[in-house]
Amino acid sequence: MFYRIIALFVLMVSIAGLLRADDKELTPQKFELLQRLIRPQQDESQWAAVPWLINLQDARERAAREDKPLFLWRSGGGDVLGRT
Amino acid sequence: MKADQISEQFVPVALNGDAGNQPGMVSTFFRRVAKHFANEMAVVTPNGHLLSHDLDEGLKKWQALPEAQRRKLDDLGKFDGSFLPAPPQGGIVLQVYSRGLIRDKQGQLQVYKTEVARSLEAGRDHLWLTESEAKSLVPEQFAAKSPQPVAAPIVHRICRRYLIDLVRVGGNGGPRRPEEVLSGEMQVAVENIAGDEVRLRFAGSTRLATHDVGSGSQKNEAKIDDFQLLGYATYDRNKKQFTSFNLIAYSETGHYDEIHGKVLPLGVAFELSPAKTAADLAPPSSFSDSYFSD
């Protein structure tokens, strides 16, 4: 009887541990869900659809060649197309 | 943002905040645009004359200019291309996304958004690996199933430069100091082989310290975050290149919303970039001479 109680206790502790682990651990089962949450959502980042150039020389030459004005975006301090 | 109109009727160019510090053409251009032009968008001529902050008005003013003036490029000085480093030849470019998350009442993770604009989108960056670094990720013995350690410089680059709270309210965090990586390891193992395709599995963990009070640390006590790493990649033995690469880093406490004083989960996703457009090739935000060596 004593051993059964001990075994039951160990089992319960193990299950509780597994549940906690499952809740916080990055498991293969959670991989796709997390990836989906982290990546840009459908209604986000419309600006990313714009074919931005990052080389001002190239942009100036192309603008003159194609007879188009520049649409200039300059960040306040960070990297415009890196961190937003 | 009127993405279609900008794409079709303009030449869109995005420049970093420090672009005006570049000598030669770039600084002359910015001096022409305005005394102060930062965190702004505007319609500008190729010679740096500001037309308008409004798309339609800017286009109208552009079309009103004589054609010869529109097509003539002034000599604004020398352009120094060294300020635009290119990804290493033969290496790989990973697109990085970062996101604050929150657990709902059922304990399920959800996207965390606040009234702060920065939280409305995923944070973004790029990770560059050299050719030899990329090759080092592929076990020499393709059949080896036992995990092998990923080279320390790669793990440290990820920990120092990318497992930071990119979406933190109120500003960007710079790279961590080396001593703020308290521990970090990642291993790679061959999970499966099918024809030329070798499927790799990455797993690891890291403990990181944050000393910035605005990022959730206390005055005399660092904020400690434990990240777990898990990823999968496919390597084509015939083409000798990665055809997919997906890695996730996750911390229950990695994001700090300083407006509401909340410590929240942070997820960071890395995936193979097509590295085709100019924007794909934008240098990592923390790029410096020591990017590959520290």
Side-chain angles (χ1 to χ4, degrees), chain A residues 46-53 62 66 68-73, chain B residues 1-14 41-43 53-56 59:
Chain A
Q46 285 182 44
W47 59 268
V50 173
W52 298 101
L53 299 181
R62 200 175 129 193
E66 296 181 6
K68 290 177 179 176
L70 296 173
F71 182 68
L72 177 67
W73 177 15
Chain B
M1 180 178 279
K2 297 172 179 174
D4 289 344
Q5 185 185 7
I6 293 168
S7 304
E8 288 162 19
Q9 297 179 312
F10 300 83
V11 174
V13 56
M41 296 179 177
V43 180
H53 286 89
D54 177 80
L55 288 179
D56 294 322
L59 200 58

Side-chain angles (χ1 to χ4, degrees), chain B residues 23-127:
Chain B
M25 182 272 281
V26 180
S27 58
T28 309
F29 179 89
F30 273 110
R31 275 200 303 276
R32 279 193 176 185
V33 172
K35 217 173 190 177
H36 179 78
F37 186 87
N39 216 5
E40 284 181 71
M41 296 179 177
V43 180
V44 176
T45 72
N47 292 317
H49 298 296
L50 196 150
L51 296 171
S52 174
H53 286 89
D54 177 80
L55 288 179
D56 294 322
E57 187 187 48
L59 200 58
K60 215 177 265 182
K61 284 186 175 175
W62 169 257
Q63 285 158 349
L65 295 171
E67 187 180 352
Q69 195 177 328
R70 297 198 304 258
R71 289 184 176 272
K72 181 180 170 287
L73 279 182
D74 294 346
D75 180 5
L76 302 183
K78 206 178 157 205
F79 176 68
D80 185 351
S82 68
F83 283 90
L84 269 180
Q89 195 76 27
I92 56 176
V93 176
L94 298 179
Q95 173 73 51
V96 184
Y97 297 111
S98 171
R99 176 86 74 175
L101 301 165
I102 191 167
R103 289 191 179 277
D104 63 18
K105 285 177 184 166
Q106 287 73 44
Q108 300 298 310
L109 285 170
Q110 306 290 347
V111 170
Y112 181 64
K113 293 191 180 189
T114 71
E115 66 275 25
V116 179
R118 188 176 301 281
S119 76
L120 301 179
E121 299 201 0
R124 289 169 183 251
D125 207 341
H126 297 110
L127 167 65

Side-chain angles (χ1 to χ4, degrees), chain B residues 63-264:
Chain B
Q63 285 158 349
L65 295 171
E67 187 180 352
Q69 195 177 328
R70 297 198 304 258
R71 289 184 176 272
K72 181 180 170 287
L73 279 182
D74 294 346
D75 180 5
L76 302 183
K78 206 178 157 205
F79 176 68
D80 185 351
S82 68
F83 283 90
L84 269 180
Q89 195 76 27
I92 56 176
V93 176
L94 298 179
Q95 173 73 51
V96 184
Y97 297 111
S98 171
R99 176 86 74 175
L101 301 165
I102 191 167
R103 289 191 179 277
D104 63 18
K105 285 177 184 166
Q106 287 73 44
Q108 300 298 310
L109 285 170
Q110 306 290 347
V111 170
Y112 181 64
K113 293 191 180 189
T114 71
E115 66 275 25
V116 179
R118 188 176 301 281
S119 76
L120 301 179
E121 299 201 0
R124 289 169 183 251
D125 207 341
H126 297 110
L127 167 65
W128 286 356
L129 296 178
T130 64
E131 185 175 16
S132 62
E133 287 174 338
K135 279 182 180 163
S136 79
L137 293 173
V138 185
E140 282 179 25
Q141 302 295 324
F142 289 115
K145 294 251 177 185
S146 57
Q148 300 176 21
V150 171
I154 299 175
V155 179
H156 274 256
R157 191 173 310 146
I158 290 172
C159 293
R160 283 194 58 211
R161 298 175 185 273
Y162 298 94
L163 304 192
I164 53 176
D165 199 355
L166 289 176
V167 289
R168 182 169 73 79
V169 183
N172 296 319
R176 290 177 192 277
R177 294 193 296 271
E179 62 270 24
E180 291 180 321
V181 181
L182 303 179
S183 66
E185 56 81 29
M186 186 157 65
Q187 298 195 316
V188 57
V190 173
E191 198 175 59
N192 187 43
I193 299 176
D196 288 329
E197 282 199 343
V198 182
R199 185 172 155 88
L200 304 171
R201 182 180 191 274
F202 296 92
S205 63
T206 179
R207 173 166 284 190
L208 304 170
T210 300
H211 290 93
D212 174 25
V213 173
S215 297
S217 75
Q218 302 299 312
K219 232 179 179 178
N220 297 312
E221 195 182 335
K223 177 172 178 271
I224 305 295
D225 299 308
D226 289 309
F227 280 84
Q228 303 164 66
L229 296 127
L230 180 64
Y232 303 94
T234 310
Y235 182 78
D236 188 313
R237 287 191 287 186
N238 186 35
K239 293 179 186 165
K240 291 187 170 38
Q241 64 183 40
F242 283 97
T243 51
S244 74
F245 198 112
N246 295 288
L247 176 73
I248 283 182
Y250 174 78
S251 166
E252 271 293 310
T253 58
H255 179 50
Y256 181 66
D257 174 349
E258 66 182 307
I259 303 296
H260 302 98
K262 287 182 187 172
V263 174
L264 295 159

